[in-house]
Amino acid sequence: MLRADVAITIAPEVNKFLATPRKMLIDGQWVEAASGRSFAVYDPATGEVIASVPEGDKEDIDRAVRAARTAFDSGPWRKMTTSLRGRLMNKLADLMEQHAEEFAQLESLDNGKPASIARVADVPLAIDMFRYMAGWATKIEGNTIPVSWPGTYFAYILREPVGVVGQIIPWNFPLLMAAWKLGPALATGCTIVLKPAEQTPLSALLLGELIQEAGIPAGVVNIVTGFGKETGAPLAAHPDVDKVAFTGSTEVGKFIVQAAGGNLKKVSLELGGKSPNIVLKDADLDTAVVGAANAIFFNHGQCCCAGSRLYIERGIFDRVVDGVAEQAKQIKLGHGLNPETQMGPLVSDEQLTRVTGYLQSGLSEGARPLCGAQRYGDTGYFVEPTVFVDVKQDMKVVQEEIFGPVVTALPFKDLDEVLTVANDTIYGLGAGIWTKDLSKAHRLAAELHAGTVWINCYNVFDAALPFGGYKQSGWGREMGHEVLENYTEVKAVCIRL
Ligand code: NDP
């Protein structure tokens, strides 16, 4: 493993942002938590405190929901033209562009990811999401329905905003997840209470400042920082919230469903994954090796759709796993603000414990590491990229989501066998196929139980491409026009002529 060893520099605007006591956004005002409490935010590369943010609780959620309700029922947001709504969203995207470097550095300091990656992935994708959704603001249409008694009735459909939306997001792509959630909610005219993850609240707070500067009215977007049980849970259970959108673990997703039951609010969930990545003999192996390494090691494996189960056709197994392990050994670990860094730390001490626990479990069950399988250094929460071979389909490391830079590799004999093992999971988020054979590619794509199938590529995201899961990977889709379904109610209007 290589260490990236260059001193880091932080932009003056970012230092100023961190040095200013942070507040949360409720009804257009930056406020302390009602309790007056706050909590520390850490740089996961060093374990040092970099900022502190208010520790919201139920009282703050109540305040934020009241503000969102008033903004929805009687504020200017729903009454303004959809064209103006779209323009305000584009203004927000323009402002984000002006602050792109601050976002990239904040993401790096808060989450640990290389700023070089945030600059080309997280930040531009988040901006693009707002622009794409701004376009939809003017295009949310109903249609006319030819009912069975022509000339007697005239019927049409209206699509209306679902109302006040609670949005609970995770720490792996903090800004991008905020954009995935806020974009469609704003485009459809909803009002929002957003809860960022406790580990990574900073970019959402900077986004809140720009939301105000863009002229989006007070109360439309409220941002409450805090812990899951104290803020996320009361938001999911709140009787005056019409819909909750959640991204995170499948375990908490199930709590969200229960909490939402009180008022039967609408629920959309983007949850865990254990995605198969399948390499066939006829693939361009050089491309497949690099692709398979990126599929798992991108964002340190902290991706819900990470290609964490590598299935390789017999005959090319050694060549592919050795290639992926060689890629892993070349990855430079270090602080995300170091320009040489290719992989930063895991997000938290808790995730370090969790991932190293899985490494131990793999080793004790007989998995053989071709590289990694241990913590890296003793400062920060780094883990060495790991390739496990000699694994069995029923091992914990093959069945459970690790959410770290750990891939398991298994050989297979033919398409029937690989389909059986690839679909042998409670999850169904993503899948990868590497082949030049069109028939095999299409057969696998059709029979894999996954919301996204990448062929000869992996982790390709676009605001226009729907993303979400089969089975326990979730309900509903993010992005694309499909996501608008999550944020609109359908009203059928029938007129007797
Ligand atoms: P969680 O599911 O706990 O966190 C996601 C979000 O939910 C956070 O904002 C969290 O708040 C909030 N939350 C936690 N508990 C509740 C609750 N009872 N009610 C409402 N909201 C709640 O994920 P973790 O951060 O604990 O990560 C654990 C595992 O989850 C990872 O190892 C990974 O397997 C998976 N995960 C999946 C993600 C995905 O993209 N699908 C993203 C992140 C994690 P708080 O931050 O305060 O805990």
PDB file of all heavy atoms in Angstrom, residues 168-172 195-199 226-229 232-233 246-249 252 255-256 270-272 304 351 354 401-403, ligand 1:
ATOM      1  N   ILE A 168     -34.240  11.998   4.791  1.00  0.00           N
ATOM      2  CA  ILE A 168     -33.166  11.558   5.702  1.00  0.00           C
ATOM      3  C   ILE A 168     -32.066  10.956   4.837  1.00  0.00           C
ATOM      4  O   ILE A 168     -32.310  10.007   4.088  1.00  0.00           O
ATOM      5  CB  ILE A 168     -33.715  10.518   6.700  1.00  0.00           C
ATOM      6  CG1 ILE A 168     -34.867  11.128   7.503  1.00  0.00           C
ATOM      7  CG2 ILE A 168     -32.601  10.022   7.626  1.00  0.00           C
ATOM      8  CD1 ILE A 168     -35.647  10.135   8.357  1.00  0.00           C
ATOM      9  N   ILE A 169     -30.867  11.532   4.936  1.00  0.00           N
ATOM     10  CA  ILE A 169     -29.806  11.132   3.989  1.00  0.00           C
ATOM     11  C   ILE A 169     -28.563  10.616   4.726  1.00  0.00           C
ATOM     12  O   ILE A 169     -28.356  10.924   5.893  1.00  0.00           O
ATOM     13  CB  ILE A 169     -29.451  12.288   3.021  1.00  0.00           C
ATOM     14  CG1 ILE A 169     -29.028  13.551   3.790  1.00  0.00           C
ATOM     15  CG2 ILE A 169     -30.613  12.575   2.094  1.00  0.00           C
ATOM     16  CD1 ILE A 169     -28.479  14.641   2.890  1.00  0.00           C
ATOM     17  N   PRO A 170     -27.733   9.864   4.020  1.00  0.00           N
ATOM     18  CA  PRO A 170     -26.552   9.248   4.641  1.00  0.00           C
ATOM     19  C   PRO A 170     -25.281  10.064   4.398  1.00  0.00           C
ATOM     20  O   PRO A 170     -25.322  11.141   3.794  1.00  0.00           O
ATOM     21  CB  PRO A 170     -26.467   7.920   3.906  1.00  0.00           C
ATOM     22  CG  PRO A 170     -26.912   8.251   2.520  1.00  0.00           C
ATOM     23  CD  PRO A 170     -27.919   9.351   2.633  1.00  0.00           C
ATOM     24  N   TRP A 171     -24.161   9.471   4.794  1.00  0.00           N
ATOM     25  CA  TRP A 171     -22.895  10.194   4.812  1.00  0.00           C
ATOM     26  C   TRP A 171     -21.981   9.853   3.645  1.00  0.00           C
ATOM     27  O   TRP A 171     -20.909  10.431   3.515  1.00  0.00           O
ATOM     28  CB  TRP A 171     -22.140   9.890   6.115  1.00  0.00           C
ATOM     29  CG  TRP A 171     -22.218   8.433   6.507  1.00  0.00           C
ATOM     30  CD1 TRP A 171     -23.046   7.897   7.457  1.00  0.00           C
ATOM     31  CD2 TRP A 171     -21.475   7.332   5.963  1.00  0.00           C
ATOM     32  NE1 TRP A 171     -22.880   6.535   7.528  1.00  0.00           N
ATOM     33  CE2 TRP A 171     -21.919   6.156   6.625  1.00  0.00           C
ATOM     34  CE3 TRP A 171     -20.483   7.216   4.999  1.00  0.00           C
ATOM     35  CZ2 TRP A 171     -21.393   4.891   6.340  1.00  0.00           C
ATOM     36  CZ3 TRP A 171     -19.971   5.950   4.702  1.00  0.00           C
ATOM     37  CH2 TRP A 171     -20.427   4.818   5.375  1.00  0.00           C
ATOM     38  N   ASN A 172     -22.336   8.894   2.805  1.00  0.00           N
ATOM     39  CA  ASN A 172     -21.352   8.457   1.793  1.00  0.00           C
ATOM     40  C   ASN A 172     -21.188   9.442   0.634  1.00  0.00           C
ATOM     41  O   ASN A 172     -20.100   9.586   0.095  1.00  0.00           O
ATOM     42  CB  ASN A 172     -21.642   7.036   1.295  1.00  0.00           C
ATOM     43  CG  ASN A 172     -23.060   6.821   0.856  1.00  0.00           C
ATOM     44  OD1 ASN A 172     -23.942   7.621   1.149  1.00  0.00           O
ATOM     45  ND2 ASN A 172     -23.315   5.738   0.147  1.00  0.00           N
ATOM     46  N   LYS A 195     -32.788  16.011   6.906  1.00  0.00           N
ATOM     47  CA  LYS A 195     -31.861  15.660   7.992  1.00  0.00           C
ATOM     48  C   LYS A 195     -30.608  15.014   7.403  1.00  0.00           C
ATOM     49  O   LYS A 195     -30.642  13.879   6.934  1.00  0.00           O
ATOM     50  CB  LYS A 195     -32.493  14.682   8.988  1.00  0.00           C
ATOM     51  CG  LYS A 195     -31.607  14.536  10.219  1.00  0.00           C
ATOM     52  CD  LYS A 195     -31.751  13.223  10.938  1.00  0.00           C
ATOM     53  CE  LYS A 195     -30.721  12.188  10.617  1.00  0.00           C
ATOM     54  NZ  LYS A 195     -29.315  12.479  10.916  1.00  0.00           N
ATOM     55  N   PRO A 196     -29.485  15.736   7.445  1.00  0.00           N
ATOM     56  CA  PRO A 196     -28.229  15.127   6.973  1.00  0.00           C
ATOM     57  C   PRO A 196     -27.714  14.110   7.989  1.00  0.00           C
ATOM     58  O   PRO A 196     -28.147  14.108   9.141  1.00  0.00           O
ATOM     59  CB  PRO A 196     -27.262  16.315   6.880  1.00  0.00           C
ATOM     60  CG  PRO A 196     -28.038  17.540   7.262  1.00  0.00           C
ATOM     61  CD  PRO A 196     -29.296  17.108   7.920  1.00  0.00           C
ATOM     62  N   ALA A 197     -26.775  13.287   7.567  1.00  0.00           N
ATOM     63  CA  ALA A 197     -26.172  12.310   8.481  1.00  0.00           C
ATOM     64  C   ALA A 197     -25.339  13.033   9.543  1.00  0.00           C
ATOM     65  O   ALA A 197     -24.733  14.071   9.262  1.00  0.00           O
ATOM     66  CB  ALA A 197     -25.288  11.344   7.704  1.00  0.00           C
ATOM     67  N   GLU A 198     -25.300  12.450  10.744  1.00  0.00           N
ATOM     68  CA  GLU A 198     -24.579  13.111  11.849  1.00  0.00           C
ATOM     69  C   GLU A 198     -23.088  13.273  11.523  1.00  0.00           C
ATOM     70  O   GLU A 198     -22.450  14.226  11.967  1.00  0.00           O
ATOM     71  CB  GLU A 198     -24.748  12.302  13.144  1.00  0.00           C
ATOM     72  CG  GLU A 198     -24.012  10.973  13.117  1.00  0.00           C
ATOM     73  CD  GLU A 198     -24.331  10.061  14.294  1.00  0.00           C
ATOM     74  OE1 GLU A 198     -25.520   9.784  14.526  1.00  0.00           O
ATOM     75  OE2 GLU A 198     -23.391   9.628  14.976  1.00  0.00           O
ATOM     76  N   GLN A 199     -22.530  12.340  10.725  1.00  0.00           N
ATOM     77  CA  GLN A 199     -21.088  12.395  10.424  1.00  0.00           C
ATOM     78  C   GLN A 199     -20.760  13.516   9.440  1.00  0.00           C
ATOM     79  O   GLN A 199     -19.642  14.002   9.419  1.00  0.00           O
ATOM     80  CB  GLN A 199     -20.616  11.062   9.808  1.00  0.00           C
ATOM     81  CG  GLN A 199     -20.780   9.839  10.685  1.00  0.00           C
ATOM     82  CD  GLN A 199     -22.164   9.227  10.574  1.00  0.00           C
ATOM     83  OE1 GLN A 199     -23.082   9.796   9.984  1.00  0.00           O
ATOM     84  NE2 GLN A 199     -22.334   8.064  11.165  1.00  0.00           N
ATOM     85  N   GLY A 226     -28.606  16.585  13.469  1.00  0.00           N
ATOM     86  CA  GLY A 226     -28.819  15.840  14.710  1.00  0.00           C
ATOM     87  C   GLY A 226     -28.631  14.357  14.471  1.00  0.00           C
ATOM     88  O   GLY A 226     -28.207  13.939  13.401  1.00  0.00           O
ATOM     89  N   PHE A 227     -28.966  13.571  15.484  1.00  0.00           N
ATOM     90  CA  PHE A 227     -28.775  12.120  15.416  1.00  0.00           C
ATOM     91  C   PHE A 227     -30.048  11.419  14.935  1.00  0.00           C
ATOM     92  O   PHE A 227     -31.144  11.958  15.048  1.00  0.00           O
ATOM     93  CB  PHE A 227     -28.363  11.592  16.792  1.00  0.00           C
ATOM     94  CG  PHE A 227     -27.069  12.193  17.276  1.00  0.00           C
ATOM     95  CD1 PHE A 227     -27.021  12.954  18.436  1.00  0.00           C
ATOM     96  CD2 PHE A 227     -25.899  12.026  16.545  1.00  0.00           C
ATOM     97  CE1 PHE A 227     -25.820  13.517  18.872  1.00  0.00           C
ATOM     98  CE2 PHE A 227     -24.700  12.579  16.963  1.00  0.00           C
ATOM     99  CZ  PHE A 227     -24.662  13.332  18.129  1.00  0.00           C
ATOM    100  N   GLY A 228     -29.824  10.203  14.448  1.00  0.00           N
ATOM    101  CA  GLY A 228     -30.932   9.459  13.850  1.00  0.00           C
ATOM    102  C   GLY A 228     -32.117   9.274  14.780  1.00  0.00           C
ATOM    103  O   GLY A 228     -33.254   9.576  14.418  1.00  0.00           O
ATOM    104  N   LYS A 229     -31.854   8.798  15.988  1.00  0.00           N
ATOM    105  CA  LYS A 229     -32.985   8.485  16.890  1.00  0.00           C
ATOM    106  C   LYS A 229     -33.701   9.750  17.351  1.00  0.00           C
ATOM    107  O   LYS A 229     -34.910   9.755  17.554  1.00  0.00           O
ATOM    108  CB  LYS A 229     -32.466   7.710  18.108  1.00  0.00           C
ATOM    109  CG  LYS A 229     -32.094   6.283  17.758  1.00  0.00           C
ATOM    110  CD  LYS A 229     -32.194   5.363  18.970  1.00  0.00           C
ATOM    111  CE  LYS A 229     -31.976   3.928  18.567  1.00  0.00           C
ATOM    112  NZ  LYS A 229     -30.619   3.465  18.684  1.00  0.00           N
ATOM    113  N   GLY A 232     -34.096  11.968  13.106  1.00  0.00           N
ATOM    114  CA  GLY A 232     -34.622  11.178  11.988  1.00  0.00           C
ATOM    115  C   GLY A 232     -35.914  10.476  12.375  1.00  0.00           C
ATOM    116  O   GLY A 232     -36.907  10.523  11.627  1.00  0.00           O
ATOM    117  N   ALA A 233     -35.921   9.835  13.539  1.00  0.00           N
ATOM    118  CA  ALA A 233     -37.099   9.049  13.938  1.00  0.00           C
ATOM    119  C   ALA A 233     -38.336   9.939  14.091  1.00  0.00           C
ATOM    120  O   ALA A 233     -39.396   9.620  13.535  1.00  0.00           O
ATOM    121  CB  ALA A 233     -36.796   8.259  15.205  1.00  0.00           C
ATOM    122  N   PHE A 246     -35.902   8.177   2.285  1.00  0.00           N
ATOM    123  CA  PHE A 246     -34.770   7.772   3.117  1.00  0.00           C
ATOM    124  C   PHE A 246     -33.711   7.088   2.262  1.00  0.00           C
ATOM    125  O   PHE A 246     -34.038   6.273   1.402  1.00  0.00           O
ATOM    126  CB  PHE A 246     -35.274   6.796   4.193  1.00  0.00           C
ATOM    127  CG  PHE A 246     -34.173   6.135   4.983  1.00  0.00           C
ATOM    128  CD1 PHE A 246     -33.526   6.816   6.007  1.00  0.00           C
ATOM    129  CD2 PHE A 246     -33.779   4.827   4.704  1.00  0.00           C
ATOM    130  CE1 PHE A 246     -32.502   6.206   6.739  1.00  0.00           C
ATOM    131  CE2 PHE A 246     -32.756   4.217   5.426  1.00  0.00           C
ATOM    132  CZ  PHE A 246     -32.116   4.914   6.443  1.00  0.00           C
ATOM    133  N   THR A 247     -32.455   7.395   2.529  1.00  0.00           N
ATOM    134  CA  THR A 247     -31.352   6.603   1.999  1.00  0.00           C
ATOM    135  C   THR A 247     -30.476   6.195   3.164  1.00  0.00           C
ATOM    136  O   THR A 247     -30.089   7.038   3.989  1.00  0.00           O
ATOM    137  CB  THR A 247     -30.516   7.393   0.969  1.00  0.00           C
ATOM    138  OG1 THR A 247     -31.358   7.725  -0.133  1.00  0.00           O
ATOM    139  CG2 THR A 247     -29.345   6.561   0.455  1.00  0.00           C
ATOM    140  N   GLY A 248     -30.146   4.911   3.244  1.00  0.00           N
ATOM    141  CA  GLY A 248     -29.306   4.423   4.340  1.00  0.00           C
ATOM    142  C   GLY A 248     -29.404   2.922   4.437  1.00  0.00           C
ATOM    143  O   GLY A 248     -29.651   2.227   3.443  1.00  0.00           O
ATOM    144  N   SER A 249     -29.235   2.417   5.648  1.00  0.00           N
ATOM    145  CA  SER A 249     -29.185   0.965   5.829  1.00  0.00           C
ATOM    146  C   SER A 249     -30.575   0.341   5.702  1.00  0.00           C
ATOM    147  O   SER A 249     -31.588   0.982   6.019  1.00  0.00           O
ATOM    148  CB  SER A 249     -28.607   0.644   7.211  1.00  0.00           C
ATOM    149  OG  SER A 249     -29.413   1.218   8.206  1.00  0.00           O
ATOM    150  N   VAL A 252     -32.379   0.419   9.157  1.00  0.00           N
ATOM    151  CA  VAL A 252     -33.101   1.648   9.522  1.00  0.00           C
ATOM    152  C   VAL A 252     -34.268   1.871   8.570  1.00  0.00           C
ATOM    153  O   VAL A 252     -35.322   2.369   8.979  1.00  0.00           O
ATOM    154  CB  VAL A 252     -32.147   2.865   9.580  1.00  0.00           C
ATOM    155  CG1 VAL A 252     -32.915   4.160   9.787  1.00  0.00           C
ATOM    156  CG2 VAL A 252     -31.130   2.689  10.706  1.00  0.00           C
ATOM    157  N   PHE A 255     -37.246   0.517  10.085  1.00  0.00           N
ATOM    158  CA  PHE A 255     -37.794   1.398  11.139  1.00  0.00           C
ATOM    159  C   PHE A 255     -38.611   2.535  10.522  1.00  0.00           C
ATOM    160  O   PHE A 255     -39.645   2.940  11.042  1.00  0.00           O
ATOM    161  CB  PHE A 255     -36.682   2.037  11.982  1.00  0.00           C
ATOM    162  CG  PHE A 255     -35.974   1.092  12.910  1.00  0.00           C
ATOM    163  CD1 PHE A 255     -34.592   1.039  12.935  1.00  0.00           C
ATOM    164  CD2 PHE A 255     -36.683   0.271  13.773  1.00  0.00           C
ATOM    165  CE1 PHE A 255     -33.922   0.178  13.778  1.00  0.00           C
ATOM    166  CE2 PHE A 255     -36.021  -0.598  14.628  1.00  0.00           C
ATOM    167  CZ  PHE A 255     -34.632  -0.646  14.625  1.00  0.00           C
ATOM    168  N   ILE A 256     -38.097   3.047   9.403  1.00  0.00           N
ATOM    169  CA  ILE A 256     -38.782   4.179   8.744  1.00  0.00           C
ATOM    170  C   ILE A 256     -40.189   3.741   8.321  1.00  0.00           C
ATOM    171  O   ILE A 256     -41.162   4.473   8.517  1.00  0.00           O
ATOM    172  CB  ILE A 256     -37.978   4.654   7.502  1.00  0.00           C
ATOM    173  CG1 ILE A 256     -36.571   5.100   7.887  1.00  0.00           C
ATOM    174  CG2 ILE A 256     -38.727   5.717   6.711  1.00  0.00           C
ATOM    175  CD1 ILE A 256     -36.431   6.419   8.565  1.00  0.00           C
ATOM    176  N   GLU A 270     -34.041   4.054  -0.391  1.00  0.00           N
ATOM    177  CA  GLU A 270     -32.882   3.597  -1.185  1.00  0.00           C
ATOM    178  C   GLU A 270     -31.921   2.992  -0.182  1.00  0.00           C
ATOM    179  O   GLU A 270     -31.339   3.708   0.632  1.00  0.00           O
ATOM    180  CB  GLU A 270     -32.295   4.799  -1.936  1.00  0.00           C
ATOM    181  CG  GLU A 270     -31.469   4.397  -3.125  1.00  0.00           C
ATOM    182  CD  GLU A 270     -30.009   4.438  -2.813  1.00  0.00           C
ATOM    183  OE1 GLU A 270     -29.404   5.514  -2.954  1.00  0.00           O
ATOM    184  OE2 GLU A 270     -29.478   3.379  -2.404  1.00  0.00           O
ATOM    185  N   LEU A 271     -31.786   1.655  -0.210  1.00  0.00           N
ATOM    186  CA  LEU A 271     -31.155   0.960   0.918  1.00  0.00           C
ATOM    187  C   LEU A 271     -29.871   0.251   0.507  1.00  0.00           C
ATOM    188  O   LEU A 271     -29.211   0.650  -0.432  1.00  0.00           O
ATOM    189  CB  LEU A 271     -32.171  -0.004   1.540  1.00  0.00           C
ATOM    190  CG  LEU A 271     -33.507   0.648   1.933  1.00  0.00           C
ATOM    191  CD1 LEU A 271     -34.509  -0.377   2.413  1.00  0.00           C
ATOM    192  CD2 LEU A 271     -33.301   1.735   2.981  1.00  0.00           C
ATOM    193  N   GLY A 272     -29.557  -0.791   1.218  1.00  0.00           N
ATOM    194  CA  GLY A 272     -28.259  -1.438   1.042  1.00  0.00           C
ATOM    195  C   GLY A 272     -28.155  -2.265  -0.229  1.00  0.00           C
ATOM    196  O   GLY A 272     -29.104  -2.395  -1.007  1.00  0.00           O
ATOM    197  N   CYS A 304     -23.683   2.159  -1.953  1.00  0.00           N
ATOM    198  CA  CYS A 304     -24.729   1.148  -1.795  1.00  0.00           C
ATOM    199  C   CYS A 304     -24.686   0.158  -2.954  1.00  0.00           C
ATOM    200  O   CYS A 304     -25.083  -0.984  -2.800  1.00  0.00           O
ATOM    201  CB  CYS A 304     -26.086   1.808  -1.681  1.00  0.00           C
ATOM    202  SG  CYS A 304     -26.303   3.123  -2.870  1.00  0.00           S
ATOM    203  N   GLN A 351     -17.528   2.925  11.521  1.00  0.00           N
ATOM    204  CA  GLN A 351     -17.414   2.182  10.256  1.00  0.00           C
ATOM    205  C   GLN A 351     -16.099   1.411  10.197  1.00  0.00           C
ATOM    206  O   GLN A 351     -16.031   0.318   9.645  1.00  0.00           O
ATOM    207  CB  GLN A 351     -17.557   3.115   9.061  1.00  0.00           C
ATOM    208  CG  GLN A 351     -18.981   3.596   8.823  1.00  0.00           C
ATOM    209  CD  GLN A 351     -19.987   2.466   8.668  1.00  0.00           C
ATOM    210  OE1 GLN A 351     -20.846   2.253   9.526  1.00  0.00           O
ATOM    211  NE2 GLN A 351     -19.905   1.710   7.587  1.00  0.00           N
ATOM    212  N   ARG A 354     -16.679  -1.642  12.141  1.00  0.00           N
ATOM    213  CA  ARG A 354     -17.580  -2.525  11.394  1.00  0.00           C
ATOM    214  C   ARG A 354     -16.833  -3.252  10.269  1.00  0.00           C
ATOM    215  O   ARG A 354     -16.925  -4.470  10.118  1.00  0.00           O
ATOM    216  CB  ARG A 354     -18.664  -1.620  10.816  1.00  0.00           C
ATOM    217  CG  ARG A 354     -19.822  -2.297  10.200  1.00  0.00           C
ATOM    218  CD  ARG A 354     -20.711  -1.198   9.595  1.00  0.00           C
ATOM    219  NE  ARG A 354     -21.825  -1.804   8.935  1.00  0.00           N
ATOM    220  CZ  ARG A 354     -23.030  -1.918   9.480  1.00  0.00           C
ATOM    221  NH1 ARG A 354     -23.271  -1.417  10.669  1.00  0.00           N
ATOM    222  NH2 ARG A 354     -23.990  -2.516   8.823  1.00  0.00           N
ATOM    223  N   GLU A 401     -23.657  -6.732   3.560  1.00  0.00           N
ATOM    224  CA  GLU A 401     -23.075  -5.488   3.043  1.00  0.00           C
ATOM    225  C   GLU A 401     -21.952  -5.029   3.984  1.00  0.00           C
ATOM    226  O   GLU A 401     -22.183  -4.802   5.167  1.00  0.00           O
ATOM    227  CB  GLU A 401     -24.148  -4.403   2.959  1.00  0.00           C
ATOM    228  CG  GLU A 401     -23.618  -3.115   2.389  1.00  0.00           C
ATOM    229  CD  GLU A 401     -24.703  -2.065   2.193  1.00  0.00           C
ATOM    230  OE1 GLU A 401     -25.425  -1.751   3.163  1.00  0.00           O
ATOM    231  OE2 GLU A 401     -24.821  -1.544   1.070  1.00  0.00           O
ATOM    232  N   ILE A 402     -20.742  -4.912   3.450  1.00  0.00           N
ATOM    233  CA  ILE A 402     -19.591  -4.515   4.278  1.00  0.00           C
ATOM    234  C   ILE A 402     -19.428  -3.003   4.282  1.00  0.00           C
ATOM    235  O   ILE A 402     -19.107  -2.396   5.280  1.00  0.00           O
ATOM    236  CB  ILE A 402     -18.309  -5.217   3.774  1.00  0.00           C
ATOM    237  CG1 ILE A 402     -18.479  -6.738   3.893  1.00  0.00           C
ATOM    238  CG2 ILE A 402     -17.086  -4.735   4.558  1.00  0.00           C
ATOM    239  CD1 ILE A 402     -17.314  -7.553   3.335  1.00  0.00           C
ATOM    240  N   PHE A 403     -19.681  -2.375   3.147  1.00  0.00           N
ATOM    241  CA  PHE A 403     -19.579  -0.918   3.010  1.00  0.00           C
ATOM    242  C   PHE A 403     -18.163  -0.431   3.285  1.00  0.00           C
ATOM    243  O   PHE A 403     -17.922   0.543   4.003  1.00  0.00           O
ATOM    244  CB  PHE A 403     -20.574  -0.213   3.934  1.00  0.00           C
ATOM    245  CG  PHE A 403     -21.378   0.852   3.219  1.00  0.00           C
ATOM    246  CD1 PHE A 403     -22.218   0.516   2.175  1.00  0.00           C
ATOM    247  CD2 PHE A 403     -21.293   2.181   3.586  1.00  0.00           C
ATOM    248  CE1 PHE A 403     -22.967   1.486   1.513  1.00  0.00           C
ATOM    249  CE2 PHE A 403     -22.028   3.157   2.928  1.00  0.00           C
ATOM    250  CZ  PHE A 403     -22.872   2.814   1.901  1.00  0.00           C
TER     251      PHE A 403
HETATM  252  P1  NDP B   1     -28.055   4.563   8.857  1.00  0.00           P
HETATM  253  O1  NDP B   1     -29.068   3.868   8.047  1.00  0.00           O
HETATM  254  O2  NDP B   1     -28.131   4.453  10.356  1.00  0.00           O
HETATM  255  O3  NDP B   1     -28.044   6.145   8.536  1.00  0.00           O
HETATM  256  C1  NDP B   1     -28.659   6.777   7.453  1.00  0.00           C
HETATM  257  C2  NDP B   1     -29.457   7.992   7.934  1.00  0.00           C
HETATM  258  O4  NDP B   1     -30.533   7.556   8.765  1.00  0.00           O
HETATM  259  C3  NDP B   1     -28.650   8.957   8.798  1.00  0.00           C
HETATM  260  O5  NDP B   1     -29.070  10.274   8.549  1.00  0.00           O
HETATM  261  C4  NDP B   1     -29.027   8.510  10.192  1.00  0.00           C
HETATM  262  O6  NDP B   1     -28.816   9.472  11.188  1.00  0.00           O
HETATM  263  C5  NDP B   1     -30.502   8.234  10.024  1.00  0.00           C
HETATM  264  N1  NDP B   1     -31.065   7.368  11.048  1.00  0.00           N
HETATM  265  C6  NDP B   1     -30.428   6.489  11.870  1.00  0.00           C
HETATM  266  N2  NDP B   1     -31.314   5.873  12.689  1.00  0.00           N
HETATM  267  C7  NDP B   1     -32.533   6.387  12.386  1.00  0.00           C
HETATM  268  C8  NDP B   1     -33.855   6.145  12.879  1.00  0.00           C
HETATM  269  N3  NDP B   1     -34.104   5.259  13.832  1.00  0.00           N
HETATM  270  N4  NDP B   1     -34.879   6.833  12.324  1.00  0.00           N
HETATM  271  C9  NDP B   1     -34.656   7.721  11.330  1.00  0.00           C
HETATM  272  N5  NDP B   1     -33.431   8.004  10.841  1.00  0.00           N
HETATM  273  C10 NDP B   1     -32.381   7.332  11.351  1.00  0.00           C
HETATM  274  O7  NDP B   1     -26.643   4.110   8.388  1.00  0.00           O
HETATM  275  P2  NDP B   1     -25.271   4.145   9.225  1.00  0.00           P
HETATM  276  O8  NDP B   1     -24.699   5.489   9.110  1.00  0.00           O
HETATM  277  O9  NDP B   1     -25.466   3.627  10.590  1.00  0.00           O
HETATM  278  O10 NDP B   1     -24.402   3.104   8.406  1.00  0.00           O
HETATM  279  C11 NDP B   1     -24.566   1.721   8.697  1.00  0.00           C
HETATM  280  C12 NDP B   1     -24.633   0.911   7.436  1.00  0.00           C
HETATM  281  O11 NDP B   1     -25.716   1.351   6.642  1.00  0.00           O
HETATM  282  C13 NDP B   1     -23.422   1.023   6.538  1.00  0.00           C
HETATM  283  O12 NDP B   1     -22.385   0.198   6.951  1.00  0.00           O
HETATM  284  C14 NDP B   1     -24.017   0.598   5.234  1.00  0.00           C
HETATM  285  O13 NDP B   1     -24.075  -0.803   5.188  1.00  0.00           O
HETATM  286  C15 NDP B   1     -25.423   1.150   5.268  1.00  0.00           C
HETATM  287  N6  NDP B   1     -25.536   2.436   4.558  1.00  0.00           N
HETATM  288  C16 NDP B   1     -26.105   2.438   3.330  1.00  0.00           C
HETATM  289  C17 NDP B   1     -26.166   3.604   2.603  1.00  0.00           C
HETATM  290  C18 NDP B   1     -26.776   3.658   1.249  1.00  0.00           C
HETATM  291  O14 NDP B   1     -26.396   4.530   0.459  1.00  0.00           O
HETATM  292  N7  NDP B   1     -27.741   2.819   0.937  1.00  0.00           N
HETATM  293  C19 NDP B   1     -25.582   4.851   3.100  1.00  0.00           C
HETATM  294  C20 NDP B   1     -25.053   4.752   4.438  1.00  0.00           C
HETATM  295  C21 NDP B   1     -25.033   3.573   5.110  1.00  0.00           C
HETATM  296  P3  NDP B   1     -27.390   9.453  11.942  1.00  0.00           P
HETATM  297  O15 NDP B   1     -26.439   9.922  10.928  1.00  0.00           O
HETATM  298  O16 NDP B   1     -27.541  10.359  13.068  1.00  0.00           O
HETATM  299  O17 NDP B   1     -27.158   8.035  12.365  1.00  0.00           O
END
